[in-house]
Every structure is written in C-alpha cells, then in structure tokens.
Amino acid sequence: REAVKGPARISSIIHLVNGLVFAGEGTMLGLGSFRDLALITAMGVAVMVGCLASPLGGSLNGVLISLAAFNFVQGVAVTIHHVRVSPLRRRGFALLSGRKNNK
C-alpha cells in the first residue's frame, strides 16, 4: 500500500490539469488552430522526453512526473494561446473604458 501512494498522488494531479488541457485542445481544434496546437504539443513532448532522458526517467514516479510536466506545459501553453492569441480572446478593458456613456 505504501508503494502506491506516490504514483497515486502524481496521477491525481495529472488528472486535474488534463481536463483543462483537453478542453483547450478541443477549442483550438474547433477554431482551426492546427499549427499552434502542433507547436504546443511539440513543446510538451520535448519537455516529456527531456524528463525521461534524465535520471528522473528511471522510476515509475519519474515517468509519471514526466507525464505531469507534459500536461503542465500543454495546459500553460493552451491557456496563453486562449488569452493572448485566440480569436476568442478578450480585447481588453482599455476598449471598454474608452466608451462614452450615452445615458
């Protein structure tokens, strides 16, 4: 039972991030942002392979941590894409504050 605690904790953290990543990837697919999604996935894979190539990749916890690093990079990159690049991004409050009140 003790041997399972570490991998179970790491896996539960992965699942928390994974839901947001899947939603963001689905949004990017729907918007046709295939190039950006491919670049984000390539960054995530590079981080995961880097973790696996390090001494970290020699244990089950290390493999799960590399998967968590992949999902974390994906999540951060998809969020940045949605907030800064996506056609669905908010244009900012500066546009709203420039409006005149016509009451």
Side-chain angles (χ1 to χ4, degrees):
R1 291 186 184 195
E2 289 297 318
V4 165
K5 285 185 180 179
R9 287 184 181 131
I10 296 169
S11 295
S12 65
I13 292 169
I14 290 171
H15 285 293
L16 289 174
V17 176
N18 231 359
L20 299 172
V21 170
F22 285 147
E25 287 178 347
T27 302
M28 290 179 74
L29 285 172
L31 291 171
S33 301
F34 303 116
R35 180 185 58 89
D36 296 338
L37 184 57
L39 291 172
I40 289 171
T41 303
M43 284 189 321
V45 168
V47 168
M48 183 171 62
V49 169
C51 289
L52 289 172
S54 73
L56 191 64
S59 67
L60 176 60
N61 284 346
V63 171
L64 288 174
I65 289 171
S66 70
L67 185 60
F70 169 78
N71 285 321
F72 180 75
V73 167
Q74 291 273 102
V76 169
V78 165
T79 302
I80 290 171
H81 182 274
H82 178 70
V83 171
R84 297 288 182 191
V85 180
S86 171
L88 300 177
R89 73 186 180 274
R90 290 188 178 173
R91 301 291 181 199
F93 295 109
L95 293 175
L96 295 176
S97 65
R99 287 187 191 169
K100 294 187 180 197
N101 196 352
N102 294 331
K103 286 185 181 180

